[in-house]
Amino acid sequence: MTGSEASSTFRLAYVPGVTPAKWVRIWNERLPDVPLTLVQVPAAEASEVLRGGTADAGIVRLPVDRTFFSAIALYTETTVVVVPKDHLITAVEEVSLEDLAEEVVLHPLDDVLGWERPPGEPAFERPATTEDAVELVAAGVGLLVVPQSLARLHHRRDLTYRPVVDAPQSGVALSWPEEATTDLVEEFIGIVRGRTVNSTRGRAQAQARAQAQASAQPRAASGKAPAPGRRGAAGRSSSGGRSGGSGGSGGGRGGKRGKPRRRS
């Protein structure tokens, strides 16, 4: 990581329903000298925020433009129907789209499920936002089908929800402009993928560069080949070994002198 990046701020965009708190906490533990700034954006505006450079990366809803963005899928959400607590649907554990066929189902303008055809009967008009649609559910105007995180985000005591088993689902991903894959982006990728501090790619690359520079400095400073005398010393050591060998043969002659000869 370069010095300029080490002193900068990492800006992370995120869309409603996403909770990046765990990853932010790990970031603050590993890189306390690099502040992480959260930028909350509507799901429909996330791509433009990343294209314009307002954020370095974002936790967004799929799909994204793969010709411009890189993306790592994180998880897929359960889809639920939000209903009043006294609604008949609360008597079951889960429902199907067919169960909603005769219900008025609200379809807000910021819907993230990408329906080909929304289920149920359409309302008189489309609510502007999911939050507005939740208020209409509480008023008894209709029901609302959304990712579970949005049902939790707009939770009310008088409402509950049930899973819809055959509805479209919303995928959540970490995304960033492919041509702007910085060391800080690599650091955050490592965090969301669960890498340990020692295996984070960006930090490992920086350490490898530092080690390579450190090992190159002594060689550059000396600039000399090993002295020939060292090989000569080794040679003398070898010859010394041969002298020891001849000493061994001398010891053999000493053995012959020790054997007495018979007199005739």
Side-chain angles (χ1 to χ4, degrees):
M1 188 182 304
T2 64
S4 60
E5 285 179 321
S7 60
S8 64
T9 297
F10 183 70
R11 300 159 302 172
L12 179 68
Y14 70 104
V15 298
V18 168
T19 52
K22 177 182 71 173
W23 299 316
V24 172
R25 175 180 56 78
I26 297 173
W27 177 280
N28 290 335
E29 291 172 355
R30 294 188 185 179
L31 292 94
D33 55 334
V34 184
L36 189 154
T37 300
L38 290 173
V39 182
Q40 186 172 21
V41 297
E45 299 176 14
S47 292
E48 291 306 313
V49 166
L50 293 174
R51 286 180 187 272
T54 305
D56 301 296
I59 303 176
V60 303
R61 295 192 180 275
L62 293 172
V64 298
D65 180 4
R66 291 302 186 113
T67 64
F68 185 85
F69 295 106
S70 293
I72 299 172
L74 300 177
Y75 56 88
T76 300
E77 287 201 65
T78 299
T79 301
V80 301
V81 58
V82 180
V83 300
K85 280 193 171 180
D86 59 356
H87 197 281
L88 288 175
I89 282 178
T90 60
V92 298
E93 294 297 320
E94 58 187 27
V95 299
S96 67
L97 293 177
E98 185 177 356
D99 296 327
L100 305 178
E102 297 182 3
E103 301 282 352
V104 173
V105 178
L106 303 164
H107 188 209
L109 295 175
D110 64 354
D111 173 76
V112 297
L113 292 175
W115 299 97
E116 291 185 7
R117 182 184 179 280
E121 298 292 332
F124 179 72
E125 61 180 354
R126 296 182 64 181
T129 66
T130 297
E131 185 175 7
D132 292 339
V134 170
E135 295 295 327
L136 292 175
V137 174
V141 174
L143 309 183
L144 175 65
V145 180
V146 290
Q148 184 171 304
S149 67
L150 292 180
R152 289 174 173 171
L153 176 66
H154 301 295
H155 171 72
R156 289 175 51 114
R157 291 184 178 181
D158 52 349
L159 301 180
T160 187
Y161 56 83
R162 292 291 185 270
V164 185
V165 295
D166 53 351
Q169 295 178 312
S170 175
V172 175
L174 173 65
S175 183
W176 67 96
E178 186 172 357
E179 294 184 358
T181 308
T182 64
D183 284 352
L184 291 181
V185 170
E186 290 284 6
E187 289 281 356
F188 197 78
I189 291 171
I191 289 172
V192 299
R193 281 183 163 171
R195 296 179 191 147
T196 64
V197 64
N198 292 328
S199 64
T200 301
R201 185 177 302 174
R203 191 174 296 269
Q205 288 175 344
Q207 290 175 346
R209 288 194 296 267
Q211 290 172 356
Q213 291 172 356
S215 61
Q217 286 176 356
R219 290 196 299 269
S222 63
K224 296 180 181 180
R230 291 185 178 273
R231 289 195 296 269
R236 286 194 298 273
S237 175
S238 298
S239 63
R242 288 194 296 271
S243 298
S246 61
S249 61
R253 289 195 297 271
K256 286 183 181 181
R257 288 196 299 270
K259 184 178 181 180
R261 297 179 64 184
R262 291 184 181 183
R263 293 184 179 180
S264 58

